[in-house]
Amino acid sequence: MKNAKKLLFLMAVAIFASTVSRMAAAQTIGFAQVSSSAPASASSLSANFRSAQAAGNLNVVFIAWSDATTTVTSVSDSKGNNYQLAVSHASPSLGMTQSIYYASNVVAASAGANSVTVMLSASTSYPDLRIVEYSGVSALDKTASGEGTSTTANSGTITTTVGKELLVGSNYTFGNTNGPGSGYTSRVITNNGDIVEDGVVSSTGTYSATASVTAASWIMQLAAFSAGGPPPPISVSVAPISASDQVSQTQQFTATVTGSPNTVVTWQVNGTTGGNSTVGTISANGLYTAPSNVPNPASVTVKAVSQADPTKSASANVTITFVSSTAFYVSPAGNDANTGTLALPWRTITHAIGQVSPGSTVVARGGVYNERVAINKALTLQSYPGELATVDGTSVPMVSGPYAYGLVDIASGLSNVTVSGLEIRNFIATSASFVPAGIHMEGSGSNIQILNNHIHLIQNKATYSGKRDGSCLKSPPNAFGLVFAGTSGTASINNFTIRGNELDNLITGCSESMTVNGNTQSFIIENNVVHDNSNIGIAALGGEGVAPSHDYAGNGTIRGNTVYNIYSSSQGGHAWDVYGSACDCADGIYLDGSDSIVVERNLVHHVDWGTETTGEKAGQNTTNITLRSNLFHSNKSAGIGIGGQGNPGGAANITVVNNTFYNNDTSSAGNGTLSVGASISGYVTFKNNIVYTSSSGQTVTGQTSTSGLSFDYNLYFGGVSPFSEAHSLNTNPQLVNPTATPANLDTQRTSPAKGAGTNLGGAVVGTVDYAGNPRVQGSIDIGAYEH
């Protein structure tokens, strides 16, 4: 017994000692391996980690070349680690550039299985790639860069903030490096004569990296890394998020980057770095200059992209206006007996429209215009730059129209009309005989632009009674925030853009906040914010008898919109409930009887149904719909419905790819994330989606035995798919912070969603992800984000 106890004691001591040894090893900063590539010229370079890599280590990449104009377009490796820029230094006077990138907490790799590739914007001479692996560090602390021509290359100083840190120095020289600086160990000197050196310091202080070189031009850099924890997620914000800019005028934007010591961003206009003469240009410090002519459409997107993590960005909308010497002006302080000049403006918008010729611009100075605006000719109506013109419907008389009666009304048959930068408010009915609308167009027309308007307090507060007609009461009160109704079977409303508008505090009865209905074709509904309304957010409709033929919205794109806080029942906090408290029927985005619509990169949360593709009438199908790269979360009844949901209509040819669904069916109504209704024809493709269920644990419900359903390459968590999906995953997707406000549904670097999808081609999955970053056309991620 004594020997047995002694043996157990010795085993315990050995286990304890082994644990302590492992803990000490985990806390020890160490060099693992190095590799390099230095060809005579190249536009891309690769180097291979020849030994096995341990999970959780740090990869550091040094890339340099002999000019100051070429740039790095990507840094990646064959294991999918995420590389961030630590520091970059371009010297036009010396004609050279060097940059340091790093990837924290890398995944494990067997010997020779991981190659790092750097892509450059052009072929350049004497590029030099060095890759190094370290253990015990993960977080970037400080960086420094220096340049010169002396025989001692010097990075300049940093002051560290953590007691124990790894200091990594590197240079690029047109001469040769003789050896490392004091306190540093040389890890490699390439055949181009460039060094990587490192050292570990045990206390905070001021440090630099030096190296002995032959007399020639050089860049020397230093990066300090600490043990830290997993790097915080990087995020970007831009201010202001919207602006109005006259042609050739400027607007300063600022970008804030959190989660990285590298706060530098790359500015783009409509996806082009630096912009161009058509859409406007933007400088490296965010100064935007509008183009000399108004583009079509007259709204552009300015984006700030993090250089530390190019998958992170933020955007702002800019409306471009043109106020010519022949523009006409109105002002609340004006007089309709004036001449309509800037010095002598008219008083009312109605008078101005009656006076100007087609093609004119009417500019409204800031203030309130208590009138109905009926646009009966091609023109632009806009707020004066930097001011807000308010069209207020208080006490404005209403009449019963064939479809609706707009506070701002665009006549049928018009083309080339723009309404921009107005506040449109307070058009309220108390009778079901009237259908008020904030902006209304009915009939036919072309090239209409509705840009950056704020439409709110458009309401119908009429009492109602009577039997139900389908899900809604018969002859209920109705209203619209914005509605386009194509009522002609031979001529459509087409080529129109609805961009950058905000619609809120609407009471719409059985109608919708923003609607395109009937013969409406070739449209873009983009970057609008629709919230806190009593019924459906954005709707593309058909089959309602609005037009005698071609009675459907078609060939449209619904992109980049945010829809939230929309509920149909009184349980949602709305007093004007024409459905009844038992019906949670308000969709964020509603496709009913429409055809060939792409719904992409939208955020829909806290509504009844995130989106539906259905038909309300017998034989009425919603067809050829693609929903991709959207975020649907925290919706009451379901994330998405396809096919008849208690309605006699259905759906055909629906593609749902690369969306992220989180915590839908919060009321445990039994619909789950996706509810498959009746009358499904053609196909339903559901692939590359993240399905993170609510507490109900339901994923796909309804008619799951219907033919034509193709489900695979999805990631489920909290519930399982009712289908046998050979390539789908059942695991935690590792979302960044889904419970934050606002929720961050991006995936972490270590997410199993990375590269686990199927590439269905750019025509199906789209060319960009939810954040506007490129979709990889090789391996593809599951979910709305691509890394």
Side-chain angles (χ1 to χ4, degrees), residues 85-158:
L85 177 65
V87 62
S88 183
H89 186 93
S91 175
S93 62
L94 299 181
M96 58 175 61
T97 304
Q98 181 172 264
S99 300
I100 303 176
Y101 289 80
Y102 68 101
S104 301
N105 301 301
V106 300
V107 298
S110 56
N114 191 20
S115 291
V116 176
T117 300
V118 176
M119 303 294 295
L120 301 173
S121 62
S123 181
T124 186
S125 58
Y126 300 106
D128 195 314
L129 172 65
R130 291 145 284 169
I131 60 174
V132 192
E133 179 186 1
Y134 294 97
S135 62
V137 285
S138 60
L140 177 66
D141 183 20
K142 295 292 183 65
T143 64
S145 293
E147 64 176 68
T149 58
S150 66
T151 56
T152 300
N154 192 317
S155 66
T157 60
I158 61 170

Side-chain angles (χ1 to χ4, degrees), residues 190-495:
T190 68
N191 56 3
N192 279 347
D194 307 313
I195 195 171
V196 172
E197 59 184 29
D198 59 49
V200 176
V201 294
S202 57
S203 61
T204 57
T206 300
Y207 300 96
S208 63
T210 62
S212 173
V213 295
T214 58
S217 301
W218 50 259
I219 290 174
M220 187 80 192
Q221 293 179 300
L222 171 63
F225 296 91
S226 66
I234 293 173
S235 64
V236 183
S237 62
V238 167
I241 60 173
S242 64
S244 180
D245 203 6
Q246 290 191 61
V247 292
S248 302
Q249 300 301 304
T250 61
Q251 170 69 49
Q252 181 66 56
F253 289 93
T254 58
T256 302
V257 178
T258 59
S260 172
N262 180 5
T263 59
V264 179
V265 298
T266 299
W267 290 97
Q268 300 176 347
V269 184
N270 282 10
T272 300
T273 298
N276 56 45
S277 60
T278 301
V279 297
T281 59
I282 192 162
S283 69
N285 65 356
L287 182 66
Y288 173 74
T289 302
S292 57
N293 296 298
V294 177
N296 185 16
S299 182
V300 301
T301 300
V302 169
K303 178 188 284 188
V305 181
S306 168
Q307 288 191 3
D309 183 356
T311 67
K312 302 299 186 295
S313 62
S315 300
N317 291 316
V318 185
T319 298
I320 312 302
T321 61
F322 174 66
V323 180
S324 71
S325 59
T326 58
F328 298 91
Y329 296 84
V330 294
S331 168
N335 189 311
D336 284 343
N338 287 339
T339 56
T341 64
L342 181 60
L344 295 170
W346 290 313
R347 171 64 183 86
T348 64
I349 299 172
T350 299
H351 179 80
I353 292 172
Q355 295 298 308
V356 303
S357 301
S360 298
T361 298
V362 175
V363 181
R365 300 298 301 267
V368 176
Y369 299 84
N370 187 209
E371 59 181 302
R372 178 175 182 261
V373 175
I375 299 174
N376 59 8
K377 62 189 66 170
L379 57 78
T380 294
L381 173 61
Q382 66 180 64
S383 287
Y384 187 86
E387 298 179 4
L388 179 63
T390 299
V391 179
D392 190 291
T394 302
S395 300
V396 170
M398 295 185 192
V399 299
S400 298
Y403 196 83
Y405 191 68
L407 183 57
V408 174
D409 202 276
I410 303 171
S412 177
L414 289 182
S415 296
N416 304 313
V417 172
T418 297
V419 179
S420 174
L422 303 179
E423 179 186 20
I424 300 167
R425 71 184 189 193
N426 289 336
F427 206 37
I428 299 174
T430 56
S431 168
S433 299
F434 303 125
V435 182
I439 296 179
H440 163 254
M441 183 174 188
E442 191 169 323
S444 62
S446 181
N447 193 27
I448 311 298
Q449 298 188 71
I450 309 298
L451 307 173
N452 296 325
N453 303 283
H454 182 198
I455 304 171
H456 61 126
L457 295 170
I458 312 298
Q459 302 176 344
N460 196 325
K461 294 185 176 182
T463 57
Y464 52 86
S465 61
K467 66 179 182 179
R468 290 190 174 278
D469 181 7
S471 62
C472 202
L473 291 178
K474 188 175 182 179
S475 300
N478 289 288
F480 297 92
L482 188 159
V483 58
F484 277 32
T487 57
S488 171
T490 57
S492 63
I493 303 177
N494 61 73
N495 296 303

Side-chain angles (χ1 to χ4, degrees), residues 626-778:
T626 298
L627 296 106
R628 64 192 183 203
S629 299
N630 301 286
L631 302 178
F632 298 100
H633 77 85
S634 307
N635 297 306
K636 187 174 182 181
S637 292
I640 178 175
I642 298 175
Q645 303 289 331
N647 298 320
N653 303 338
I654 310 299
T655 301
V656 184
V657 292
N658 284 102
N659 302 280
T660 296
F661 298 92
Y662 173 79
N663 191 35
N664 294 288
D665 191 16
T666 58
S667 65
S668 297
N671 299 309
T673 293
L674 165 61
S675 178
V676 182
S679 302
I680 297 291
S681 56
Y683 60 82
V684 172
T685 298
F686 191 86
K687 293 183 178 180
N688 296 346
N689 300 288
I690 290 176
V691 177
Y692 192 128
T693 72
S694 67
S695 58
S696 68
Q698 292 181 298
T699 56
V700 184
T701 64
Q703 310 295 321
T704 55
S705 60
T706 300
S707 63
L709 303 183
S710 177
F711 283 62
D712 204 358
Y713 292 94
N714 301 297
L715 188 155
Y716 298 92
F717 186 64
V720 296
S721 170
F723 306 103
S724 176
E725 302 183 29
H727 304 94
S728 292
L729 305 175
N730 288 278
T731 186
N732 190 333
Q734 298 180 27
L735 304 179
V736 171
N737 196 348
T739 61
T741 304
N744 188 337
L745 301 185
D746 198 354
T747 49
Q748 299 179 37
R749 185 190 57 79
T750 55
S751 170
K754 304 298 186 198
T758 180
N759 189 350
L760 301 171
V764 177
V765 302
T767 57
V768 295
D769 72 349
Y770 173 79
N773 300 307
R775 278 281 178 204
V776 175
Q777 295 305 301

